[in-house]
Amino acid sequence: MILRHAFIPPDNQRLANLCGNLDEHLRAIEAAFDVRIARRNESFRVEGAKAAAERAVLLLQSLYDRARRPIPPEFFQLALAQAAQDAAPARKRGARAAEEEPAPGAGEVVLQTRRADLQGRTPNQQVYLRNILDHDVTFGIGPAGTGKTFLAVACAVDALERSQVQRIVLTRPAVEAGERLGFLPGDLTQKVDPYLRPLYDALYDLMGFDRVTKAFEKGTIEIAPLAFMRGRTLNHAFVILDEAQNTTSEQMKMFLTRIGFGAKAVVTGDVSQIDLPKGTLSGLIEAERVLRRVKGIAITRFTAADVVRHPLVARIVEAYEAEGVRSGV
């Protein structure tokens, strides 16, 4: 199918911002939707499957409306990923997401953070946010780029801002992905700091550097390796265990039994990226099996259709998932 679209009013600067340097935005849209785009001045010609061509035109118009100034790379990639997600066949969203999708009128979850536009961008992300709000313990399991950790941290910041909890505790196991902690310079804190960096980054994005620094000084935010959780009881805290696929069964049980009164816990992980020694059962896999019917616990499963990073990330995840199926992994 061939669609023709003219941008009104014509504006050369906006057209330049829309197309990007050397038409890089157009080439990325072509790759994401499997279409071909040609243009002459303000007139565009989009050729491809009907649904894909229509989605591409809608995205182009949306970006043109935004293109009074140069389009930031992160905004473009997010808009492209969201448009590609909207165009994905319903079967790729997963039967579980379809079953758990919030009913019409339930309303989207709006979080109180520095990011005023923060919300779930896929049905599964909406389910995940709702599960966190409605349950004391929530599991988010799925591939990289699905927002598991970022949305969990956002919910924690929101709860702290609304005084629903007194502090945020973020933790993860210090398991190496093919490297050894002993080879890194510094004391224990300096050795584990790189493993906790994604959590710092999320906090800085959601609260700002100055506020995060003050929160650390006051003790309202704490980041620590999982080993430091043993023996503690975490009351009135929002606790997040990240990279939980690298916990052992004993570590997972230890973490889940740290939860105290007025506390919430979110456990996130990707069972396709386990770095435990061969033959060691992942505590996340076991917990999903053991706890799936326990009242008060919610489990959200993400798929490649929920990836909100560069469109190639979703394709990479799908390719590895397909290879895993063929090889029996």
Side-chain angles (χ1 to χ4, degrees):
M1 182 177 183
I2 297 176
L3 296 181
R4 301 182 186 278
H5 185 78
F7 292 97
I8 304 298
D11 183 320
N12 288 335
Q13 185 58 54
R14 289 172 71 176
L15 286 169
N17 293 337
L18 168 66
C19 297
N21 187 31
L22 299 177
D23 287 347
E24 62 180 351
H25 292 167
L26 301 186
R27 303 291 81 82
I29 293 172
E30 285 180 331
F33 292 98
D34 194 20
V35 298
R36 297 191 66 179
I37 302 174
R39 76 179 186 95
R40 176 174 292 181
N41 299 323
E42 72 276 9
S43 297
F44 282 63
R45 178 177 179 270
V46 181
E47 180 179 355
K50 180 180 178 181
E54 290 174 346
R55 292 284 184 181
V57 169
L58 287 175
L59 177 58
L60 287 168
Q61 182 62 58
S62 173
L63 292 172
Y64 185 76
D65 295 339
R66 167 70 170 71
R68 291 182 180 85
R69 297 181 179 179
I71 300 174
E74 62 275 12
F75 179 92
F76 174 78
Q77 293 294 348
L78 189 57
L80 182 61
Q82 187 172 3
Q85 156 67 28
D86 292 341
R91 60 183 174 82
K92 288 191 177 181
R93 300 177 188 268
R96 186 185 181 98
E99 293 172 0
E100 297 182 348
E101 188 170 352
E108 292 185 343
V109 177
V110 178
L111 301 176
Q112 184 174 317
T113 70
R114 195 175 70 156
R115 293 274 298 274
D117 62 338
L118 186 60
Q119 60 185 14
R121 298 181 179 273
T122 72
N124 261 336
Q125 289 185 353
Q126 282 290 331
V127 170
Y128 182 54
L129 291 175
R130 182 61 59 190
N131 281 341
I132 293 174
L133 293 180
D134 295 343
H135 297 80
D136 289 336
V137 177
T138 303
F139 286 79
I141 304 172
T146 52
K148 305 181 302 296
T149 300
F150 188 82
L151 291 176
V153 174
C155 287
V157 172
D158 176 79
L160 187 66
E161 296 286 1
R162 298 177 191 272
S163 299
Q164 296 173 346
V165 297
Q166 296 174 0
R167 56 180 168 154
I168 297 173
V169 179
L170 308 175
T171 185
R172 64 188 293 178
V175 175
E176 310 92 329
E179 299 180 25
R180 296 295 178 188
L181 281 172
F183 295 158
L184 298 175
D187 57 20
L188 178 60
T189 301
Q190 293 170 317
K191 289 177 185 291
V192 301
D193 189 68
Y195 293 86
L196 306 174
R197 182 54 53 186
L199 301 174
Y200 285 102
D201 292 342
L203 286 170
Y204 293 150
D205 191 16
L206 294 165
M207 295 179 65
F209 181 83
D210 292 338
R211 290 194 61 202
V212 171
T213 301
K214 291 179 181 178
F216 276 121
E217 293 173 354
K218 294 179 179 178
T220 53
I221 297 179
E222 175 187 349
I223 297 182
L226 180 59
F228 290 10
M229 296 295 104
R230 188 173 297 279
R232 301 179 62 182
T233 300
L234 301 172
N235 294 317
H236 307 291
F238 198 117
V239 192
I240 299 174
L241 171 58
D242 191 32
E243 299 290 345
Q245 74 275 6
N246 288 326
T247 61
T248 63
S249 298
E250 293 78 11
Q251 287 174 327
M252 177 62 73
K253 182 180 178 182
M254 179 272 291
F255 170 78
L256 292 174
T257 54
R258 300 307 94 201
I259 310 305
F261 294 106
K264 276 186 178 289
V266 179
V267 179
T268 68
D270 177 4
V271 294
S272 70
Q273 298 190 36
I274 298 174
D275 299 314
L276 293 170
K278 189 174 181 179
T280 303
L281 175 63
S282 167
L284 180 59
I285 293 177
E286 182 183 55
E288 182 183 13
R289 175 180 58 82
V290 172
L291 303 176
R292 64 181 181 274
R293 292 188 179 89
V294 175
K295 188 175 181 180
I297 295 178
I299 299 175
T300 306
R301 265 282 188 177
F302 294 94
T303 69
D306 299 300
V307 173
V308 291
R309 292 182 184 170
H310 193 289
L312 272 177
V313 175
R315 297 180 193 173
I316 291 169
V317 171
E318 289 174 346
Y320 271 96
E321 286 179 348
E323 183 63 25
V325 170
R326 286 194 293 270
S327 61
V329 176

